[in-house]
């Protein structure tokens, strides 16, 4: 039901704060949206309001999110709110998707061709590994993360070198310079460049900046607390002096400092925009009050930028359980038995339960316990669909079609399946390409004029090159209607199915080939739904592989997830395990702990972020929340004595329930087995 007055197409069930956030249009607006307070609803209703009642055209409104899933959900909601004609041209996407669109249009301005490649983290790491000539994964990832943080802070190689204070930073700065040169040679960008390069061009080119500011007449940004310096600058440049934007965020859920996000961006808005309108959403529509009170109590120990307290009309709810358990194995078994019992008693489904933990390492023992109890489960943060070897093999061909200067894709495609191109041939080809400053693919057609390769070495290269050229010419010439046909012909010509069955046992080959078929089906569907050419598809896939990975189904299974991966999700019943000092709050590696001990400010900042992570975990629960901690936990083959996390006492539980005593504590082995069988029979 909606009101029939100015601004009156808004739903009647919007609360006062939500209504104010939707209708405010007199300049920049910051909506502080607590967990479960309906922030997505506010954003979508505001877009509908702009389109229906404020005369905005869809093509002049941009809404930015951090995941494809969030963008998709937002788009679907908007489609249900407004006429399709009104929403025509509306942009709802991630920061990085907008960056791709920008770079496609402005490629010439930054010496990129429109068919540039987008390198994911694996591709980038391979370049860094080659530059460092090491297999030390920790060292490689540290350099990669440092370069990423520099890019997100808008620091180029020269500035990074000037700011490098430690030997590891100096090494990263040297690699950064060569890494950038390699990307340029490949006509490629990495994930961070998708925002950094548009920002740099908008800053330097007045004509480009004015054109985009005219296009983006109203901007909405979700999860603003997760923005980094580069993304903050992008918002400023797109909105200009007009500053017509709404930022929605929650300083209490800022948990991504390790990847460059800065919660200070929320505070910066108050200083950079004197006329900023601040609106707080404090009514929670997700959880019972006991859970919210515990969350409020924990986060109150942080120096909050903005004071807010969540409240709910869902009633008090059940007491929060706290369980002390002897070991991590016993903890995992207890969680499994508790879920089995509660599922039966509450007439719930498996998907109603989630087990959240701080570190991925905690998942192993939990998985083992659930398997033993025959409890179905899914694990968040496992191997991505797009990281599977067979998927990367197929995508290498597609990427090469788009950008023949993409040397990593060339190497993967020309050697998989095997076609007589060995390491010796590739080495000679690589040396020739480097000498002449050209790509490996281009070198194929020039090295034949020399005597550097024997005919038997040259022939498979030339055959491969001619094949790619034929498919590429067709992909560039034909439109979206031909995408499915081109994909089928490409896979057939590669002979990838035969390759799998020739190199693997039948079961493995069948599973991997099914993954390839799933990929093809998904690509064809995207091509049809969004009218994408094969060229468009490749850049779309690059974004999906990094932002969304693959569309996860929602099977009837218990969800195992890290606290970081659980953000934005909710479950009726949540078990938060390993709530111990040293694990939650987590202090990092031993060498990190030494650094933190020597720097009180750094230690305080770490604990504050961990406290926000605890807050996120608590607020995932809708009806019940149960915490557990171990008196001893296995670490590096040793049993380490643990203490309950400071966050448990900070929850302010008047009388924390011991989550019911272990029903099997005094059982004999036979009685224990019978109890397990009984629970399994119930399910």
């Amino acid at each position: 039901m909606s009101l029939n007055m100015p601004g009156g197409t808004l739903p009647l069930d919007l609360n006062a704060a939500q209504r104010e956030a939707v209708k405010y249009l007199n300049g920049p607006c910051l909506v502080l949206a607590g967990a479960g307070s309906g922030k997505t609803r506010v954003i979508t209703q505001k877009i509908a309001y702009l389109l229906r009642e404020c005369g905005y055209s869809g093509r002049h409104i941009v809404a930015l999110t951090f995941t494809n899933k969030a963008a998709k959900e937002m788009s679907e909601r908007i489609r249900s709110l407004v006429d399709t004609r009104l929403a025509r041209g509306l942009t709802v996407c991630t920061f990085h998707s907008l960056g791709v669109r920008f770079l496609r249009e402005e490629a010439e301005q930054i010496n990129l061709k429109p068919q540039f490649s987008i390198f994911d983290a694996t591709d980038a790491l391979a370049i860094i590994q080659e530059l460092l000539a090491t297999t030390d994964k920790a060292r490689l990832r540290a350099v990669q993360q440092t370069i990423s943080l520099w890019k997100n802070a808008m620091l180029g190689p020269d500035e990074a070198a000037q700011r490098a204070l430690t030997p590891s930073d100096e090494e990263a700065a040297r690699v950064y310079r060569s890494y950038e040169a390699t990307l340029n040679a490949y006509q490629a960008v990495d994930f961070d460049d998708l925002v950094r390069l548009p920002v740099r061009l908008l800053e330097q080119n007045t004509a480009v900046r004015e054109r985009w500011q005219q296009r983006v007449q109203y901007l909405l940004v979700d999860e603003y607390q997760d923005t980094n310096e580069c993304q903050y600058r992008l918002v400023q440049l797109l909105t200009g002096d007009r500053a017509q934007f709404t930022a929605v965020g929650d300083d209490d859920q800022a948990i991504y400092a390790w990847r460059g996000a800065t919660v200070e961006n929320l505070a910066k808005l108050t200083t950079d925009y004197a006329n900023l309108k601040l609106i707080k959403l404090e009514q929670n529509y997700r959880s019972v009050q006991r859970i919210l009170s515990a969350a409020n109590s924990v986060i109150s120990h942080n120096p909050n930028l903005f004071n807010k307290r969540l409240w709910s009309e869902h009633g008090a709810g059940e007491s929060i359980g706290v369980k002390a358990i002897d070991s991590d194995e016993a903890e995992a078994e207890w969680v499994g038995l508790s879920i089995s019992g509660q599922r039966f008693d509450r007439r719930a489904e498996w998907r109603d339960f989630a087990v959240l933990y701080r570190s991925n390492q905690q998942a192993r023992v939990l998985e083992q316990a659930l398997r033993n109890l025959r409890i179905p489960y899914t694990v968040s943060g496992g191997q991505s669909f797009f990281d599977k070897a067979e998927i990367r093999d197929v995508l290498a061909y597609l990427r090469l079609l788009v950008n023949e200067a993409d040397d990593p894709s060339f190497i993967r495609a020309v050697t998989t399946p095997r076609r007589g191109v060995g390491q010796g041939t590739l080495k000679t080809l690589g040396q020739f390409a480097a000498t002449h400053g050209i790509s490996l693919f281009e070198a194929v057609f020039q090295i034949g004029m020399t005597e550097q390769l024997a005919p038997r070495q040259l022939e498979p290269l030339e055959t491969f090159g001619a094949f790619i050229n034929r498919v590429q010419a067709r992909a560039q010439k034909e439109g979206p209607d031909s995408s499915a046909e081109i994909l089928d012909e490409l896979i057939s010509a590669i002979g990838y199915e035969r390759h799998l069955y020739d190199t693997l046992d039948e079961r493995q080959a069948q599973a991997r080939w099914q993954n390839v078929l799933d990929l093809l089906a998904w690509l064809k569907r995207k091509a049809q739904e969004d009218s994408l050419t094969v060229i468009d598809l490749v850049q779309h896939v690059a974004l999906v592989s990094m932002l969304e990975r693959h569309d996860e189904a929602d099977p009837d299974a218990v969800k195992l997830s890290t606290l970081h991966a659980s953000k934005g999700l909710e479950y009726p019943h949540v078990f938060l395990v390993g709530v111990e000092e040293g694990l939650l709050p987590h202090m990092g590696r031993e060498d990190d702990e030494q650094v933190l001990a020597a720097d009180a400010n750094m230690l305080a900042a770490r604990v504050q972020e961990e406290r926000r992570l605890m807050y996120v975990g608590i607020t995932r629960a809708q009806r019940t929340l149960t915490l557990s901690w171990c008196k001893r936990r296995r670490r590096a083959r040793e049993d380490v004595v643990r203490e309950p996390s400071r966050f448990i006492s900070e929850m302010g539980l008047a009388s924390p329930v011991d989550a019911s005593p272990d029903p099997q504590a005094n059982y004999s082995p036979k009685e224990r087995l019978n109890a397990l069988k009984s629970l399994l029979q119930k399910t």
Side-chain angles (χ1 to χ4, degrees):
M1 186 176 177
S2 302
L3 294 169
N4 189 19
M5 60 176 62
T9 58
L10 301 180
L12 285 171
D13 58 350
L14 286 177
N15 63 44
Q18 290 174 328
R19 184 174 295 275
E20 184 182 17
V22 169
K23 294 178 67 176
Y24 186 81
L25 294 174
N26 296 326
C29 178
L30 171 59
V31 180
L32 286 171
S37 63
K39 65 178 178 66
T40 303
R41 193 168 188 227
V42 165
I43 294 172
T44 53
Q45 287 290 346
K46 186 155 193 170
I47 292 171
Y49 180 65
L50 290 168
L51 293 169
R52 285 195 306 242
E53 301 188 37
C54 303
Y56 278 84
S57 167
R59 67 179 183 275
H60 291 146
I61 301 174
V62 175
L64 296 178
T65 70
F66 277 87
T67 67
N68 288 328
K69 182 180 178 183
K72 183 180 179 183
E73 180 188 349
M74 204 174 289
S75 296
E76 289 172 349
R77 289 200 194 185
I78 294 165
R79 280 199 295 271
S80 69
L81 293 173
V82 299
D83 187 278
T84 306
R85 290 169 295 179
L86 281 178
R88 189 173 294 129
L90 174 70
T91 298
V92 181
C93 65
T94 65
F95 274 93
H96 299 90
S97 295
L98 182 67
V100 171
R101 296 184 193 183
F102 183 99
L103 292 177
R104 279 180 183 165
E105 289 188 33
E106 311 293 349
E108 290 184 7
Q109 304 282 352
I110 51 176
N111 298 317
L112 272 178
K113 60 183 183 182
Q115 296 85 10
F116 58 88
S117 293
I118 303 172
F119 280 14
D120 63 16
T122 304
D123 297 323
L125 196 65
I127 295 173
I128 293 170
Q129 182 172 4
E130 186 175 337
L131 293 171
L132 275 177
T134 182
T135 57
D136 185 339
K137 289 184 178 179
R139 183 180 165 198
L140 290 168
R141 290 197 181 102
V143 169
Q144 184 177 35
Q145 186 177 23
T146 301
I147 292 173
S148 177
L149 291 173
W150 280 333
K151 286 193 172 191
N152 290 331
M154 293 300 297
L155 299 178
D158 291 340
E159 296 164 300
Q162 291 171 4
R163 298 196 186 191
L165 300 175
T166 66
S168 58
D169 281 352
E170 289 172 355
E171 178 182 62
R174 287 193 299 272
V175 172
Y176 185 10
R177 190 179 306 280
S178 300
Y179 172 74
E180 283 295 278
T182 304
L183 287 179
N184 290 334
Y186 291 167
Q187 281 285 292
V189 299
D190 64 17
F191 200 49
D192 299 315
D193 288 332
L194 295 177
V195 180
R196 183 180 71 94
L197 292 178
V199 167
R200 193 175 71 185
L201 183 58
L202 288 166
E203 287 179 335
Q204 297 173 351
N205 192 309
T206 303
V208 172
R209 183 169 64 251
E210 290 177 350
R211 186 166 64 251
W212 278 85
Q213 286 178 358
Q214 185 58 33
R215 183 181 302 186
V216 184
Q217 295 185 11
Y218 203 95
L219 180 68
L220 303 100
V221 185
D222 192 15
E223 303 286 8
Y224 205 80
Q225 77 282 349
D226 294 337
T227 56
N228 56 41
E229 188 172 338
C230 192
Q231 289 159 338
Y232 184 93
R233 187 68 183 131
L234 181 66
V235 171
Q236 284 186 311
L237 290 163
L238 288 176
T239 55
D241 295 336
R242 209 168 43 235
Q244 284 290 83
F245 68 83
T246 295
V248 182
D250 182 7
D251 53 318
D252 293 331
Q253 297 188 74
I255 59 174
Y256 293 118
W258 51 275
R259 69 183 190 195
T262 172
V263 68
E264 284 76 22
N265 279 352
L266 289 170
K268 273 181 73 176
L269 286 174
T270 63
T271 56
D272 289 348
Y273 299 93
N275 62 332
L276 181 75
K277 177 69 172 179
L278 180 62
I279 301 171
K280 297 180 184 179
L281 304 184
E282 296 176 294
Q283 183 175 357
N284 176 284
Y285 295 91
R286 175 185 299 159
S287 309
V288 295
Q289 190 57 48
R290 273 201 174 97
I291 290 171
L292 298 180
S293 297
N296 288 333
S297 183
V298 167
I299 207 64
S300 70
H301 290 78
N302 270 3
N304 291 337
L305 294 172
F306 310 96
N307 291 320
K308 62 180 183 300
R309 290 188 68 81
L310 298 179
W311 60 275
S312 167
E313 294 180 340
H314 289 329
E318 298 179 24
S319 297
I320 294 172
V322 180
K323 181 75 174 176
I325 305 179
D326 288 335
S327 68
D328 48 356
E329 288 88 354
E331 178 185 50
E333 187 177 34
W334 174 80
V335 167
L337 289 168
S338 299
I339 290 173
S340 284
Q342 288 192 33
R343 175 177 173 265
F344 180 76
D345 294 338
R346 299 181 186 278
R347 294 181 172 83
E349 297 181 305
W350 294 119
R351 63 166 59 90
D352 293 334
F353 297 88
V355 185
L356 308 182
Y357 39 84
R358 177 60 180 83
S359 172
N360 273 313
Q361 284 84 350
Q362 294 169 259
R364 182 190 59 79
V365 66
L366 288 164
E367 286 190 73
Q368 186 175 344
L370 295 184
R371 283 197 301 270
N372 290 343
L373 293 167
R374 301 179 191 172
I375 296 174
Y377 67 89
T378 60
V379 182
S380 178
Q383 186 189 31
S384 160
F385 178 77
F386 289 92
D387 285 336
K388 297 180 184 295
E390 61 273 20
I391 302 304
R392 295 185 68 83
D393 287 343
V394 173
L395 292 181
Y397 284 88
L398 293 176
R399 288 170 54 169
L400 193 59
L401 294 179
V402 173
N403 178 15
E404 59 200 35
D406 187 340
D407 282 0
S409 293
F410 173 87
I411 293 170
R412 193 172 192 116
V414 82
T415 57
T416 311
R418 295 190 179 278
R419 50 177 52 86
V421 180
Q423 289 301 313
T425 302
L426 286 175
K427 184 178 180 180
T428 303
L429 188 69
Q431 289 171 342
F432 181 88
T435 302
H436 292 79
I438 58 178
S439 69
L440 292 173
F441 187 84
E442 190 177 350
V444 168
F445 300 96
Q446 293 191 20
I447 200 171
M449 306 299 293
T450 73
E451 296 181 354
Q452 295 188 36
L453 288 176
R456 61 177 178 79
Q457 294 174 297
L458 187 60
E459 190 271 336
L461 284 176
E462 290 180 334
T463 301
F464 175 79
F467 164 68
I468 295 295
N469 275 339
R470 284 196 305 274
V471 182
Q472 184 186 57
R474 186 178 174 192
Q476 291 174 343
K477 182 176 67 176
E478 300 188 25
D481 293 343
S482 300
S483 293
E485 187 180 336
I486 293 172
L487 288 169
D488 283 337
E489 290 181 7
L490 175 67
I491 296 301
S492 176
I494 292 171
Y496 196 78
E497 182 180 14
R498 181 178 177 181
H499 159 72
L500 290 174
Y501 281 93
D502 285 347
T503 56
L504 302 169
D505 65 56
E506 186 172 352
R507 186 176 176 183
Q508 284 181 307
Q510 191 173 9
R512 292 196 180 189
W513 179 240
Q514 185 58 53
N515 287 336
V516 172
L517 294 177
D518 290 346
L519 172 69
L520 290 175
W522 180 77
L523 288 171
K524 292 174 186 177
R525 189 169 68 251
K526 291 303 296 183
Q528 185 177 18
E529 290 175 354
D530 300 338
S531 294
L532 300 178
T533 66
V534 171
I535 306 298
D536 297 331
L537 274 174
V538 177
Q539 291 182 333
H540 178 78
V541 167
L543 284 178
V544 172
S545 68
M546 289 178 280
L547 286 171
E548 184 181 66
R549 297 308 192 183
H550 63 294
D551 295 329
E552 293 186 6
D554 183 28
D556 186 20
V558 175
K559 186 62 171 287
L560 303 183
S561 173
T562 63
L563 286 165
H564 282 99
S566 74
K567 188 167 173 287
L569 304 175
E570 57 187 41
Y571 306 92
H573 312 288
V574 169
F575 287 78
L576 183 47
V577 302
V579 191
E580 305 147 20
E581 287 294 308
L583 191 53
L584 185 63
H586 184 64
M587 294 296 131
R589 304 185 306 270
E590 290 184 6
D591 53 343
D592 289 339
E593 292 176 12
Q594 294 170 4
V595 172
L596 290 171
D599 190 329
N601 291 330
M602 191 181 295
L603 177 61
R606 177 70 67 88
V607 171
Q608 287 165 21
E609 173 135 340
E610 291 290 303
R611 187 174 283 115
R612 292 194 292 269
L613 195 57
M614 179 74 178
Y615 175 88
V616 166
I618 294 171
T619 54
R620 297 313 93 194
Q622 296 171 302
R623 291 170 53 193
T624 70
L625 174 65
T626 307
L627 313 181
S628 62
W629 64 277
C630 295
K631 299 173 185 178
R632 283 184 170 76
R633 186 173 294 273
R634 178 72 63 176
R635 181 175 176 179
R637 299 183 180 180
E638 292 183 8
D639 284 334
V640 180
V641 176
R642 294 289 196 179
E643 297 291 333
S645 169
R646 70 193 76 184
F647 300 151
I648 294 177
S649 62
E650 290 177 2
M651 291 172 71
L653 305 177
S655 54
V657 179
D658 188 35
S660 74
D662 186 344
Q664 301 182 42
N666 300 311
Y667 281 9
S668 69
K670 185 176 180 180
E671 289 171 328
R672 187 180 182 86
L673 180 61
N674 288 335
L676 282 170
K677 287 180 178 177
S678 176
L679 273 172
L680 290 172
Q681 286 170 356
K682 283 183 181 180
T683 63

